[in-house]
């Protein structure tokens, strides 16, 4: 498998399956959540904890792109709160969750399928906000994502993005080590399932239908935003509520930034 269409096809299928199984990021919001959002009581998530309300402020009338953010959760809430919402995602199964909530609740939102690194479907300056939670680990290079976000945002527009602390990709995922309370470094950053995972482990992951992932450096995740023409205004860390790896118990492994397009 290469970094091109084969990777996209595999990860699309993996997320279509997660949508069918209603995983944590694929479980549509209920009617009560939408009703509350219509009354001005709403919250969305870049990380497991609710996003501080002052990161977005009043969304009424604002053009928001939910980038690689389908699943029937963030976009319907923002639409119910009064935003003009477009959802862009690789997985049609995930997008179907948003369409389902929109139809059920009488919401207006647009869904578009595609690769987060290529937003040619949208003209320059099409959005006031890009909302981009925990998803760029599924592409081998994040810089095209930041460049496209910068292009489709209007002047002074906001990019709200989250990602894993790259430390989560470094350690060996050995249950025996975890039982002993040991963390053994195994991989360097940047990390790639395609290039760094041994062939037998990679094939086993493919056979399980799991999405392939990539661990990016902070230089790419945060420095890449600066290089693309953003100024980072806010920064937040968050804890993993259900630790998967030993490191999750010792530091907050979710990171989020609010950055403003300059020029």
């Amino acid at each position: 498998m290469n970094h091109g269409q084969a990777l996209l096809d595999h990860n699309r299928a993996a997320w279509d399956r997660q949508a069918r199984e209603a995983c944590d990021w694929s479980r549509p919001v209920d009617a009560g959540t939408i009703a509350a959002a219509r009354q001005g009581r709403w919250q969305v998530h870049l990380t497991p904890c609710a996003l501080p309300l002052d990161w977005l402020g009043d969304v009424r009338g604002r053009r928001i792109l939910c980038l690689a953010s389908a699943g029937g959760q963030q976009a319907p809430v923002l639409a119910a709160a009064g935003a003009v919402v477009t959802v862009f995602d690789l997985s049609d199964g995930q997008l179907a969750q948003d369409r389902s909530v929109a139809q059920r609740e009488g919401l207006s939102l647009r869904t578009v399928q595609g690769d987060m690194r290529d937003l040619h479907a949208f003209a320059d300056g099409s959005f006031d906000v890009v909302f981009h939670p925990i998803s760029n680990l599924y592409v081998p290079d994040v810089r095209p994502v930041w460049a496209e976000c910068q292009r489709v945002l209007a002047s002074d527009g906001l990019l709200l993005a989250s990602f894993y602390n790259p430390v989560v990709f470094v350690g060996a995922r050995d249950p025996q080590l975890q039982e002993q309370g040991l963390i053994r470094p195994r991989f360097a950053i940047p990390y790639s399932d395609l290039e760094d995972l041994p062939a037998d482990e990679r094939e086993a992951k493919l056979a399980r239908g799991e999405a392939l992932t990539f661990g990016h450096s902070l230089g790419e995740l945060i420095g890449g935003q600066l290089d693309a023409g953003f100024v980072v205004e806010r920064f937040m860390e968050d804890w993993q509520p259900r630790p998967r790896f030993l490191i999750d118990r010792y530091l907050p492994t979710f990171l989020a930034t609010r950055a403003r397009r300059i020029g």
Side-chain angles (χ1 to χ4, degrees):
M1 180 181 291
N2 56 36
H3 287 177
Q5 191 61 44
L7 171 63
L8 289 175
D9 290 344
H10 174 81
N11 280 358
R12 180 187 298 115
W15 274 101
D16 285 347
R17 179 176 62 81
Q18 292 203 51
R20 290 193 299 271
E21 295 174 355
C23 74
D24 286 348
W25 292 90
S26 306
R27 194 172 298 123
V29 294
D30 60 21
T33 300
I34 297 300
R38 283 185 162 126
Q39 296 170 7
R41 294 180 286 107
W42 57 272
Q43 58 184 28
V44 289
H45 295 261
L46 273 178
T47 65
C49 287
L51 185 71
L53 290 177
D54 63 349
W55 276 48
L56 267 175
D58 188 354
V59 299
R60 289 175 295 180
R62 298 175 82 184
R63 302 167 299 167
I64 298 181
L65 174 63
C66 291
L67 178 60
S69 178
Q73 298 180 351
Q74 323 302 332
V77 169
L78 292 168
V84 180
V85 178
T86 299
V87 195
F88 186 93
D89 202 277
L90 183 64
S91 164
D92 193 60
Q94 286 283 88
L95 291 167
Q97 304 286 51
D98 292 284
R99 291 192 292 266
S100 175
V101 177
Q103 182 176 17
R104 186 191 76 203
E105 303 295 337
L107 297 171
S108 176
L109 59 81
R110 179 188 180 194
T111 62
V112 182
Q113 186 179 40
D115 178 354
M116 71 182 85
R117 298 167 293 181
D118 180 4
L119 304 181
H120 72 269
F122 310 118
D124 295 1
S126 294
F127 300 99
D128 303 305
V129 177
V130 173
F131 190 85
H132 179 51
I134 305 289
S135 54
N136 57 42
L137 72 159
Y138 300 111
V139 295
D141 184 0
V142 299
R143 286 184 179 267
V145 179
W146 304 143
E148 283 289 80
C149 288
Q150 196 272 353
R151 182 185 65 79
V152 302
L153 276 169
S155 180
D156 208 39
L158 291 176
L159 166 63
L160 277 65
S162 59
F163 28 81
Y164 286 115
N165 187 318
V167 72
V168 302
F169 294 93
V170 171
R173 298 176 184 180
D174 185 333
Q176 292 183 341
L177 289 174
Q178 183 149 321
E179 289 174 5
Q180 299 173 63
L182 298 176
I183 299 172
R184 178 179 297 165
R186 184 184 184 193
F187 301 110
I189 296 296
Y191 167 79
S192 165
D193 271 350
L194 286 176
E195 297 175 0
D196 299 315
L197 203 60
D200 59 333
E201 295 180 40
R202 183 173 60 251
E203 291 305 314
K205 187 170 187 177
L206 290 169
R208 293 192 300 268
E210 297 177 12
L212 296 175
T213 60
F214 304 85
H216 307 296
S217 70
L218 291 176
E220 298 292 304
L221 292 167
I222 297 176
Q225 293 183 47
L226 301 176
D227 292 342
F230 289 98
V231 171
V232 176
E233 300 179 331
R234 299 283 294 273
F235 177 81
M236 181 175 69
E237 297 176 298
D238 197 7
W239 291 85
Q240 171 63 259
R242 293 187 295 277
R244 298 178 302 160
F245 312 119
L246 191 58
I247 193 67
D248 289 322
R249 302 177 186 175
Y250 293 94
L251 57 82
T253 48
F254 289 94
L255 309 177
T257 54
R258 186 182 77 175
R260 191 174 300 273
R261 182 191 189 276
I262 56 175

Short mmCIF file of all heavy atoms in Angstrom, two decimals, residues 38-92:
data_model
loop_
_atom_site.label_atom_id
_atom_site.label_comp_id
_atom_site.label_asym_id
_atom_site.label_seq_id
_atom_site.Cartn_x
_atom_site.Cartn_y
_atom_site.Cartn_z
N ARG A 38 -30.52 25.23 19.80
CA ARG A 38 -31.40 26.24 19.19
C ARG A 38 -31.74 27.36 20.18
O ARG A 38 -32.04 28.48 19.79
CB ARG A 38 -32.68 25.57 18.69
CG ARG A 38 -32.49 24.81 17.37
CD ARG A 38 -33.80 24.27 16.86
NE ARG A 38 -33.72 23.93 15.44
CZ ARG A 38 -34.04 22.75 14.93
NH1 ARG A 38 -34.48 21.78 15.72
NH2 ARG A 38 -33.94 22.54 13.63
N GLN A 39 -31.67 27.05 21.45
CA GLN A 39 -31.97 28.03 22.49
C GLN A 39 -30.70 28.72 23.01
O GLN A 39 -30.75 29.47 23.97
CB GLN A 39 -32.69 27.34 23.65
CG GLN A 39 -34.05 26.78 23.27
CD GLN A 39 -34.65 25.90 24.36
OE1 GLN A 39 -34.10 25.81 25.46
NE2 GLN A 39 -35.76 25.25 24.05
N GLY A 40 -29.58 28.43 22.36
CA GLY A 40 -28.33 29.08 22.74
C GLY A 40 -27.51 28.34 23.76
O GLY A 40 -26.48 28.85 24.22
N ARG A 41 -27.94 27.12 24.12
CA ARG A 41 -27.19 26.32 25.09
C ARG A 41 -26.54 25.16 24.35
O ARG A 41 -27.18 24.17 24.05
CB ARG A 41 -28.14 25.81 26.19
CG ARG A 41 -28.72 26.92 27.05
CD ARG A 41 -29.65 26.38 28.14
NE ARG A 41 -30.94 25.96 27.59
CZ ARG A 41 -31.32 24.70 27.45
NH1 ARG A 41 -30.51 23.72 27.80
NH2 ARG A 41 -32.50 24.41 26.94
N TRP A 42 -25.26 25.31 24.03
CA TRP A 42 -24.61 24.30 23.22
C TRP A 42 -23.12 24.20 23.59
O TRP A 42 -22.55 25.09 24.19
CB TRP A 42 -24.75 24.62 21.73
CG TRP A 42 -24.22 25.97 21.34
CD1 TRP A 42 -24.89 27.16 21.36
CD2 TRP A 42 -22.89 26.28 20.89
NE1 TRP A 42 -24.07 28.19 20.95
CE2 TRP A 42 -22.84 27.68 20.65
CE3 TRP A 42 -21.75 25.51 20.67
CZ2 TRP A 42 -21.69 28.31 20.20
CZ3 TRP A 42 -20.59 26.14 20.22
CH2 TRP A 42 -20.59 27.52 19.99
N GLN A 43 -22.56 23.08 23.21
CA GLN A 43 -21.12 22.87 23.33
C GLN A 43 -20.67 21.93 22.23
O GLN A 43 -21.44 21.10 21.75
CB GLN A 43 -20.76 22.30 24.70
CG GLN A 43 -21.41 20.98 25.02
CD GLN A 43 -21.09 20.50 26.43
OE1 GLN A 43 -20.85 21.28 27.33
NE2 GLN A 43 -21.08 19.18 26.61
N VAL A 44 -19.42 22.08 21.82
CA VAL A 44 -18.83 21.19 20.83
C VAL A 44 -17.49 20.72 21.37
O VAL A 44 -17.00 21.21 22.39
CB VAL A 44 -18.66 21.87 19.45
CG1 VAL A 44 -20.00 22.08 18.78
CG2 VAL A 44 -17.90 23.19 19.59
N HIS A 45 -16.87 19.78 20.66
CA HIS A 45 -15.66 19.13 21.17
C HIS A 45 -14.56 19.13 20.12
O HIS A 45 -14.74 18.60 19.02
CB HIS A 45 -15.97 17.69 21.58
CG HIS A 45 -16.91 17.57 22.73
ND1 HIS A 45 -16.50 17.36 24.02
CD2 HIS A 45 -18.27 17.65 22.77
CE1 HIS A 45 -17.54 17.30 24.82
NE2 HIS A 45 -18.63 17.49 24.09
N LEU A 46 -13.43 19.71 20.49
CA LEU A 46 -12.19 19.49 19.74
C LEU A 46 -11.42 18.34 20.37
O LEU A 46 -10.65 17.64 19.72
CB LEU A 46 -11.30 20.74 19.78
CG LEU A 46 -11.50 21.82 18.74
CD1 LEU A 46 -10.55 22.97 19.01
CD2 LEU A 46 -11.34 21.31 17.32
N THR A 47 -11.59 18.17 21.68
CA THR A 47 -10.97 17.12 22.48
C THR A 47 -12.08 16.51 23.33
O THR A 47 -13.23 16.95 23.25
CB THR A 47 -9.86 17.71 23.36
OG1 THR A 47 -10.45 18.61 24.31
CG2 THR A 47 -8.81 18.45 22.53
N PRO A 48 -11.80 15.52 24.15
CA PRO A 48 -12.90 14.92 24.93
C PRO A 48 -13.69 15.90 25.78
O PRO A 48 -14.92 15.77 25.90
CB PRO A 48 -12.16 13.88 25.80
CG PRO A 48 -10.99 13.47 24.96
CD PRO A 48 -10.56 14.73 24.28
N CYS A 49 -13.04 16.88 26.40
CA CYS A 49 -13.77 17.89 27.17
C CYS A 49 -14.43 18.89 26.23
O CYS A 49 -13.95 19.13 25.13
CB CYS A 49 -12.83 18.63 28.12
SG CYS A 49 -12.29 17.65 29.54
N ALA A 50 -15.53 19.47 26.68
CA ALA A 50 -16.20 20.48 25.87
C ALA A 50 -15.27 21.67 25.62
O ALA A 50 -14.51 22.08 26.49
CB ALA A 50 -17.47 20.95 26.58
N LEU A 51 -15.34 22.22 24.44
CA LEU A 51 -14.52 23.35 24.06
C LEU A 51 -14.96 24.60 24.84
O LEU A 51 -16.15 24.87 24.95
CB LEU A 51 -14.68 23.62 22.56
CG LEU A 51 -13.81 24.72 21.96
CD1 LEU A 51 -12.36 24.25 21.89
CD2 LEU A 51 -14.31 25.08 20.57
N PRO A 52 -14.02 25.35 25.42
CA PRO A 52 -14.40 26.61 26.06
C PRO A 52 -15.19 27.48 25.08
O PRO A 52 -14.80 27.65 23.92
CB PRO A 52 -13.05 27.24 26.41
CG PRO A 52 -12.11 26.09 26.54
CD PRO A 52 -12.56 25.09 25.52
N LEU A 53 -16.31 28.04 25.54
CA LEU A 53 -17.22 28.75 24.65
C LEU A 53 -16.56 29.96 24.00
O LEU A 53 -16.91 30.34 22.88
CB LEU A 53 -18.48 29.17 25.40
CG LEU A 53 -19.41 28.02 25.80
CD1 LEU A 53 -20.59 28.55 26.60
CD2 LEU A 53 -19.90 27.26 24.57
N ASP A 54 -15.58 30.57 24.68
CA ASP A 54 -14.97 31.76 24.10
C ASP A 54 -14.01 31.45 22.96
O ASP A 54 -13.52 32.36 22.29
CB ASP A 54 -14.29 32.60 25.18
CG ASP A 54 -13.13 31.88 25.86
OD1 ASP A 54 -12.97 30.65 25.67
OD2 ASP A 54 -12.38 32.55 26.60
N TRP A 55 -13.74 30.17 22.71
CA TRP A 55 -12.92 29.83 21.56
C TRP A 55 -13.68 30.09 20.26
O TRP A 55 -13.08 30.40 19.25
CB TRP A 55 -12.48 28.36 21.61
CG TRP A 55 -11.26 28.13 22.43
CD1 TRP A 55 -11.00 28.60 23.69
CD2 TRP A 55 -10.12 27.35 22.06
NE1 TRP A 55 -9.78 28.16 24.12
CE2 TRP A 55 -9.21 27.39 23.15
CE3 TRP A 55 -9.78 26.61 20.94
CZ2 TRP A 55 -7.98 26.73 23.12
CZ3 TRP A 55 -8.55 25.94 20.91
CH2 TRP A 55 -7.67 26.01 21.99
N LEU A 56 -14.99 29.93 20.28
CA LEU A 56 -15.81 30.16 19.09
C LEU A 56 -16.66 31.42 19.21
O LEU A 56 -16.88 32.13 18.24
CB LEU A 56 -16.72 28.95 18.83
CG LEU A 56 -16.20 27.88 17.88
CD1 LEU A 56 -17.16 26.71 17.82
CD2 LEU A 56 -15.99 28.45 16.48
N GLY A 57 -17.18 31.68 20.40
CA GLY A 57 -18.05 32.83 20.56
C GLY A 57 -19.38 32.63 19.86
O GLY A 57 -19.86 31.49 19.68
N ASP A 58 -19.99 33.72 19.44
CA ASP A 58 -21.30 33.68 18.78
C ASP A 58 -21.13 33.14 17.36
O ASP A 58 -20.43 33.74 16.54
CB ASP A 58 -21.89 35.08 18.76
CG ASP A 58 -23.33 35.11 18.26
OD1 ASP A 58 -23.85 34.05 17.83
OD2 ASP A 58 -23.94 36.19 18.29
N VAL A 59 -21.76 32.02 17.07
CA VAL A 59 -21.59 31.40 15.75
C VAL A 59 -22.71 31.76 14.78
O VAL A 59 -22.67 31.35 13.61
CB VAL A 59 -21.48 29.86 15.86
CG1 VAL A 59 -20.28 29.47 16.69
CG2 VAL A 59 -22.76 29.25 16.40
N ARG A 60 -23.68 32.51 15.21
CA ARG A 60 -24.83 32.80 14.35
C ARG A 60 -24.39 33.53 13.08
O ARG A 60 -23.73 34.55 13.13
CB ARG A 60 -25.86 33.64 15.11
CG ARG A 60 -26.60 32.86 16.19
CD ARG A 60 -27.53 33.75 16.99
NE ARG A 60 -26.76 34.75 17.75
CZ ARG A 60 -27.31 35.66 18.55
NH1 ARG A 60 -28.64 35.70 18.69
NH2 ARG A 60 -26.55 36.52 19.21
N GLY A 61 -24.75 32.93 11.93
CA GLY A 61 -24.42 33.51 10.64
C GLY A 61 -23.00 33.28 10.17
O GLY A 61 -22.66 33.64 9.03
N ARG A 62 -22.17 32.66 10.99
CA ARG A 62 -20.78 32.43 10.59
C ARG A 62 -20.68 31.19 9.71
O ARG A 62 -21.33 30.18 9.96
CB ARG A 62 -19.88 32.29 11.81
CG ARG A 62 -19.85 33.54 12.66
CD ARG A 62 -19.06 33.33 13.93
NE ARG A 62 -17.62 33.48 13.71
CZ ARG A 62 -16.72 33.27 14.66
NH1 ARG A 62 -17.10 32.86 15.87
NH2 ARG A 62 -15.44 33.44 14.41
N ARG A 63 -19.85 31.28 8.70
CA ARG A 63 -19.65 30.17 7.76
C ARG A 63 -18.58 29.24 8.33
O ARG A 63 -17.42 29.63 8.42
CB ARG A 63 -19.23 30.71 6.40
CG ARG A 63 -20.21 31.67 5.76
CD ARG A 63 -19.58 32.39 4.59
NE ARG A 63 -18.41 33.19 5.02
CZ ARG A 63 -17.51 33.72 4.19
NH1 ARG A 63 -17.61 33.52 2.88
NH2 ARG A 63 -16.49 34.42 4.66
N ILE A 64 -18.99 28.03 8.72
CA ILE A 64 -18.09 27.11 9.41
C ILE A 64 -17.88 25.86 8.57
O ILE A 64 -18.86 25.22 8.13
CB ILE A 64 -18.61 26.73 10.80
CG1 ILE A 64 -18.73 27.98 11.68
CG2 ILE A 64 -17.71 25.69 11.45
CD1 ILE A 64 -19.22 27.71 13.09
N LEU A 65 -16.62 25.51 8.34
CA LEU A 65 -16.27 24.25 7.69
C LEU A 65 -15.85 23.26 8.76
O LEU A 65 -14.84 23.47 9.45
CB LEU A 65 -15.12 24.46 6.70
CG LEU A 65 -14.55 23.18 6.06
CD1 LEU A 65 -15.60 22.46 5.22
CD2 LEU A 65 -13.30 23.50 5.24
N CYS A 66 -16.63 22.20 8.94
CA CYS A 66 -16.25 21.11 9.84
C CYS A 66 -15.39 20.15 9.03
O CYS A 66 -15.90 19.35 8.24
CB CYS A 66 -17.50 20.43 10.40
SG CYS A 66 -18.43 21.46 11.54
N LEU A 67 -14.08 20.27 9.19
CA LEU A 67 -13.12 19.57 8.33
C LEU A 67 -12.73 18.22 8.92
O LEU A 67 -12.21 18.15 10.03
CB LEU A 67 -11.88 20.45 8.15
CG LEU A 67 -10.75 19.86 7.31
CD1 LEU A 67 -11.23 19.56 5.88
CD2 LEU A 67 -9.55 20.80 7.29
N ALA A 68 -12.97 17.15 8.13
CA ALA A 68 -12.73 15.78 8.60
C ALA A 68 -13.40 15.60 9.95
O ALA A 68 -12.81 15.06 10.88
CB ALA A 68 -11.22 15.49 8.66
N SER A 69 -14.63 16.09 10.05
CA SER A 69 -15.32 16.22 11.33
C SER A 69 -16.76 15.73 11.24
O SER A 69 -17.64 16.23 11.94
CB SER A 69 -15.30 17.69 11.77
OG SER A 69 -15.99 17.88 12.97
N ALA A 70 -17.00 14.75 10.38
CA ALA A 70 -18.36 14.20 10.28
C ALA A 70 -18.62 13.24 11.43
O ALA A 70 -17.74 12.97 12.25
CB ALA A 70 -18.55 13.50 8.93
N GLY A 71 -19.83 12.72 11.49
CA GLY A 71 -20.19 11.78 12.55
C GLY A 71 -21.47 12.15 13.28
O GLY A 71 -21.86 11.51 14.24
N GLY A 72 -22.13 13.24 12.84
CA GLY A 72 -23.40 13.60 13.44
C GLY A 72 -23.29 14.24 14.80
O GLY A 72 -24.24 14.19 15.58
N GLN A 73 -22.16 14.88 15.10
CA GLN A 73 -21.95 15.44 16.44
C GLN A 73 -21.74 16.95 16.41
O GLN A 73 -22.61 17.70 16.85
CB GLN A 73 -20.75 14.75 17.09
CG GLN A 73 -20.95 13.26 17.29
CD GLN A 73 -19.76 12.56 17.95
OE1 GLN A 73 -18.70 13.15 18.11
NE2 GLN A 73 -19.94 11.32 18.32
N GLN A 74 -20.60 17.41 15.90
CA GLN A 74 -20.28 18.84 15.97
C GLN A 74 -21.11 19.66 14.99
O GLN A 74 -21.69 20.71 15.37
CB GLN A 74 -18.79 19.07 15.70
CG GLN A 74 -17.83 18.02 16.25
CD GLN A 74 -17.93 17.83 17.75
OE1 GLN A 74 -18.30 18.75 18.48
NE2 GLN A 74 -17.63 16.64 18.22
N ALA A 75 -21.18 19.22 13.75
CA ALA A 75 -21.84 20.03 12.71
C ALA A 75 -23.32 20.28 12.99
O ALA A 75 -23.77 21.43 12.87
CB ALA A 75 -21.66 19.35 11.35
N PRO A 76 -24.12 19.28 13.36
CA PRO A 76 -25.53 19.57 13.65
C PRO A 76 -25.72 20.55 14.81
O PRO A 76 -26.63 21.39 14.78
CB PRO A 76 -26.11 18.19 13.97
CG PRO A 76 -25.22 17.22 13.29
CD PRO A 76 -23.85 17.84 13.40
N VAL A 77 -24.87 20.46 15.83
CA VAL A 77 -24.97 21.38 16.96
C VAL A 77 -24.69 22.81 16.50
O VAL A 77 -25.42 23.76 16.84
CB VAL A 77 -24.01 20.97 18.09
CG1 VAL A 77 -23.91 22.06 19.15
CG2 VAL A 77 -24.47 19.66 18.72
N LEU A 78 -23.64 23.00 15.71
CA LEU A 78 -23.30 24.32 15.22
C LEU A 78 -24.39 24.87 14.30
O LEU A 78 -24.72 26.06 14.35
CB LEU A 78 -21.95 24.28 14.50
CG LEU A 78 -20.74 24.01 15.40
CD1 LEU A 78 -19.50 23.71 14.56
CD2 LEU A 78 -20.48 25.19 16.33
N ALA A 79 -24.96 24.00 13.47
CA ALA A 79 -26.06 24.43 12.61
C ALA A 79 -27.27 24.85 13.43
O ALA A 79 -27.91 25.87 13.15
CB ALA A 79 -26.43 23.32 11.63
N ALA A 80 -27.59 24.08 14.46
CA ALA A 80 -28.72 24.42 15.32
C ALA A 80 -28.47 25.72 16.08
O ALA A 80 -29.41 26.45 16.42
CB ALA A 80 -29.00 23.28 16.30
N ALA A 81 -27.21 26.03 16.36
CA ALA A 81 -26.85 27.25 17.06
C ALA A 81 -26.86 28.46 16.14
O ALA A 81 -26.63 29.59 16.60
CB ALA A 81 -25.48 27.11 17.71
N GLY A 82 -27.06 28.23 14.83
CA GLY A 82 -27.21 29.34 13.91
C GLY A 82 -26.11 29.53 12.90
O GLY A 82 -26.14 30.47 12.10
N ALA A 83 -25.11 28.65 12.90
CA ALA A 83 -24.02 28.76 11.93
C ALA A 83 -24.44 28.22 10.57
O ALA A 83 -25.39 27.42 10.45
CB ALA A 83 -22.80 28.01 12.43
N VAL A 84 -23.74 28.67 9.54
CA VAL A 84 -23.92 28.15 8.18
C VAL A 84 -22.83 27.08 8.00
O VAL A 84 -21.65 27.41 7.85
CB VAL A 84 -23.77 29.26 7.13
CG1 VAL A 84 -23.95 28.70 5.73
CG2 VAL A 84 -24.76 30.39 7.41
N VAL A 85 -23.23 25.81 8.03
CA VAL A 85 -22.27 24.72 8.23
C VAL A 85 -22.08 23.88 6.97
O VAL A 85 -23.07 23.48 6.32
CB VAL A 85 -22.71 23.82 9.40
CG1 VAL A 85 -21.75 22.66 9.58
CG2 VAL A 85 -22.82 24.63 10.68
N THR A 86 -20.82 23.59 6.67
CA THR A 86 -20.44 22.61 5.66
C THR A 86 -19.60 21.55 6.35
O THR A 86 -18.68 21.88 7.10
CB THR A 86 -19.63 23.25 4.52
OG1 THR A 86 -20.42 24.26 3.89
CG2 THR A 86 -19.21 22.21 3.49
N VAL A 87 -19.91 20.28 6.10
CA VAL A 87 -19.13 19.16 6.66
C VAL A 87 -18.35 18.51 5.53
O VAL A 87 -18.94 18.11 4.52
CB VAL A 87 -20.03 18.11 7.33
CG1 VAL A 87 -19.19 17.19 8.20
CG2 VAL A 87 -21.14 18.75 8.13
N PHE A 88 -17.05 18.38 5.71
CA PHE A 88 -16.19 17.76 4.71
C PHE A 88 -15.49 16.57 5.37
O PHE A 88 -14.84 16.72 6.41
CB PHE A 88 -15.16 18.78 4.22
CG PHE A 88 -14.30 18.31 3.07
CD1 PHE A 88 -14.68 18.56 1.76
CD2 PHE A 88 -13.12 17.63 3.30
CE1 PHE A 88 -13.89 18.14 0.70
CE2 PHE A 88 -12.32 17.21 2.25
CZ PHE A 88 -12.71 17.47 0.95
N ASP A 89 -15.61 15.38 4.76
CA ASP A 89 -15.04 14.19 5.37
C ASP A 89 -14.77 13.15 4.30
O ASP A 89 -15.42 13.12 3.25
CB ASP A 89 -16.02 13.62 6.41
CG ASP A 89 -15.33 12.73 7.44
OD1 ASP A 89 -15.10 11.54 7.15
OD2 ASP A 89 -15.00 13.23 8.54
N LEU A 90 -13.80 12.28 4.59
CA LEU A 90 -13.46 11.20 3.66
C LEU A 90 -14.52 10.12 3.63
O LEU A 90 -14.76 9.49 2.60
CB LEU A 90 -12.10 10.60 4.06
CG LEU A 90 -11.53 9.49 3.19
CD1 LEU A 90 -11.21 10.01 1.80
CD2 LEU A 90 -10.27 8.91 3.83
N SER A 91 -15.17 9.90 4.76
CA SER A 91 -16.09 8.76 4.92
C SER A 91 -17.53 9.15 4.66
O SER A 91 -18.10 9.99 5.37
CB SER A 91 -15.96 8.20 6.35
OG SER A 91 -17.05 7.37 6.67
N ASP A 92 -18.15 8.52 3.68
CA ASP A 92 -19.56 8.79 3.43
C ASP A 92 -20.42 8.25 4.57
O ASP A 92 -21.49 8.79 4.86
CB ASP A 92 -20.02 8.17 2.11
CG ASP A 92 -21.37 8.70 1.67
OD1 ASP A 92 -21.49 9.92 1.48
OD2 ASP A 92 -22.33 7.90 1.56
#
